[in-house]
């Protein structure tokens, strides 16, 4: 099933009331009287709410009580009290889709979808960088964000780097996890990947018209299964699931915090203020200062990773200085 944040008003009304009165049982009649919804409709909404993964206890002749929230990234949960101006103020949820990135690209033509977030519980053809596949079973956080940026093409390479920084700040704030940032867009724990970013952009005469950011987070996934599916794939260096470090956590607060941090870096980029982003990324980077091998697709370069420049390109030194805009990195030194 698919849902969005602006329909389903009846269901959201019932759910919100259950959330704000979760210390008591509420009878169908009371809910009906307060919310001006028929008893039959209340019953149908409660059934749907339960199907969507919320635990609602139902006691005969007494009523209903919300016990636990859902693990799903439902659109009304994303938009609820979200402290952003644009990003995430509209949301769409797919139970299963080929790729949230593909869905977002289809929706990006509608200008009212600026800032919209598309989530899915499961992707059947998740896409990774450089045309690779992205294994997306239930339990992960798979989302895309539609944007109409003001920054020009020269800054575009910095955008996924800044987005990775935003996610690492959110992980630190919400779960006290401090991942490392591997150039260009990966987040790692113990040198294994916990998250990656993908950007699809449409251009019009050297200006970015639309940009779709795809974010994949191994939140609560079976790492062994992912490793089995991807073993031998180019640039696969292992996966790590956040749930291995933190137990019984819900994804929604992380997603909301990420969207807030993402909007901060997005505003900085729109204002051409890149210094802070580069400094903060460098502080958290596991690539800078290491001996690395870069595969650009055309050539392999070995050398020392010195820094990222104003546009997010990696500067690598051996007997020469190389400026690398895109490629896969292997860390050779610890
Ligand atoms: C990478 O290769 O590191 C980027 C992975 C990006 C995966 C995400 S999951 C949500 C969105 N939909 C996709 O098909 N891909 C991105």
């Amino acid at each position: 099933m698919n849902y969005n944040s602006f329909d389903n008003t009846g269901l959201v009304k019932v759910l919100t009331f259950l959330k704000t009165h979760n210390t008591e049982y509420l009878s169908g009649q009371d809910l009906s009287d307060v919310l001006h919804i028929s008893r039959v409709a209340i019953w149908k909404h409660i059934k749907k709410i339960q199907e969507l993964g919320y635990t609602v206890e139902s006691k005969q002749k007494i009523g209903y009580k919300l016990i636990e929230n859902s693990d799903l990234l439902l659109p009304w949960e994303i938009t609820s009290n979200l402290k952003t101006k644009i990003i995430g103020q509209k949301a769409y949820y797919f139970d299963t889709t080929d790729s949230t990135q593909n869905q977002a690209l289809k929706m990006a033509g509608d200008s009212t979808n600026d800032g919209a977030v598309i989530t899915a519980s499961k992707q059947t053809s998740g896409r990774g960088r450089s045309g690779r596949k992205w294994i997306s079973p239930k339990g992960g956080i798979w989302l895309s964000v539609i944007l109409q940026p003001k920054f020009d093409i020269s800054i575009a390479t910095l955008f996924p780097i800044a987005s990775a920084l935003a996610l690492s700040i959110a992980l630190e704030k919400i779960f006290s996890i401090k991942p490392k940032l591997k150039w260009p867009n990966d987040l790692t724990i113990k040198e294994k990947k916990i998250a990656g970013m993908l950007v699809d952009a449409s251009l019009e005469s050297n200006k970015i018209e639309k940009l779709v950011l795809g974010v994949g987070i191994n939140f609560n996934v079976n790492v062994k299964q992912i490793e089995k599916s991807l073993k031998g794939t180019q640039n696969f260096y292992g996966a790590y699931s956040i749930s291995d470090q933190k137990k019984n956590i819900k994804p929604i607060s992380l997603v909301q915090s990420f969207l807030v941090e993402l909007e901060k870096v997005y505003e900085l980029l729109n204002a051409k203020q890149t210094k802070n982003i580069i400094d903060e990324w460098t502080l958290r980077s596991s690539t800078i200062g290491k001996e690395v091998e870069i595969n650009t697709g055309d050539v392999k370069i070995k050398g020392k990773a010195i820094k990222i420049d104003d546009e997010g390109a990696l500067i690598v030194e051996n007997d020469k200085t190389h400026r690398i805009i895109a490629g896969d990195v292997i860390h050779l030194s610890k």
Side-chain angles (χ1 to χ4, degrees), residues 81-94:
N81 293 318
L82 181 66
K83 305 279 179 295
T84 60
K85 290 184 213 127
I86 317 167
I87 296 183
Q89 289 302 326
K90 209 170 175 186
Y92 299 85
Y93 165 84
F94 292 82

Side-chain angles (χ1 to χ4, degrees), residues 279-298:
D279 288 351
E280 288 297 319
W281 184 91
T282 305
L283 268 179
R284 294 167 167 82
S285 166
S286 57
T287 302
I288 305 305
K290 282 212 173 101
E291 291 297 322
V292 294
E293 182 181 286
I294 320 273
N295 186 349
T296 65
D298 300 326

Side-chain angles (χ1 to χ4, degrees), residues 99-101 123 126-129 134 143-144 193 196-197 214-216:
S99 151
T100 56
Q101 202 72 356
Q123 299 183 119
R127 297 198 276 116
R129 277 197 323 119
W134 182 263
L143 67 83
S144 297
K193 186 153 168 171
M197 312 276 151
V215 184

Side-chain angles (χ1 to χ4, degrees), residues 165-292:
L165 170 66
L167 180 57
S168 97
I169 294 172
L171 277 163
E172 198 169 332
K173 282 194 175 160
I174 301 297
F175 296 134
S176 311
I177 289 177
K178 288 188 177 177
K180 289 281 176 198
L181 299 176
K182 179 170 186 268
W183 190 85
N185 319 325
D186 290 1
L187 284 88
T188 65
I189 290 179
K190 298 180 183 163
E191 291 277 327
K192 292 192 171 196
K193 186 153 168 171
I194 55 162
M197 312 276 151
L198 173 73
V199 171
D200 288 307
S202 65
L203 308 174
E204 188 145 327
S205 51
N206 227 29
K207 251 195 82 60
I208 305 168
E209 198 197 18
K210 296 274 158 50
L211 201 149
V212 174
L213 170 73
V215 184
I217 310 172
N218 293 328
F219 186 72
N220 184 7
V221 293
N222 183 336
V223 165
K224 288 218 171 77
Q225 229 160 40
I226 294 182
E227 294 197 331
K228 207 168 142 196
S229 310
L230 291 180
K231 221 172 193 149
T233 312
Q234 199 205 329
N235 194 44
F236 181 69
Y237 55 89
Y240 191 90
S241 175
I242 292 172
S243 59
D244 288 347
Q245 201 155 91
K246 295 267 156 182
K247 302 284 171 210
N248 303 323
I249 46 172
K250 300 248 178 240
I252 192 70
S253 47
L254 173 64
V255 170
Q256 286 196 319
S257 172
F258 166 63
L259 297 175
V260 169
E261 298 305 324
L262 182 66
E263 192 164 273
K264 286 185 197 163
V265 295
Y266 182 62
E267 283 178 347
L268 285 176
L269 291 178
N270 277 333
K272 294 200 173 90
Q273 290 174 24
T274 55
K275 187 181 175 314
N276 229 359
I277 294 173
I278 291 167
D279 288 351
E280 288 297 319
W281 184 91
T282 305
L283 268 179
R284 294 167 167 82
S285 166
S286 57
T287 302
I288 305 305
K290 282 212 173 101
E291 291 297 322
V292 294

Side-chain angles (χ1 to χ4, degrees), residues 129-166:
R129 277 197 323 119
S130 313
R132 289 186 282 259
K133 62 178 173 183
W134 182 263
I135 307 290
S136 324
K138 276 207 161 97
I141 297 177
W142 321 126
L143 67 83
S144 297
V145 186
I146 299 170
L147 292 167
Q148 294 170 22
K150 293 191 195 83
F151 52 78
D152 66 42
I153 240 166
S154 61
I155 285 184
T157 41
L158 202 52
F159 177 64
I161 290 175
S163 307
L165 170 66

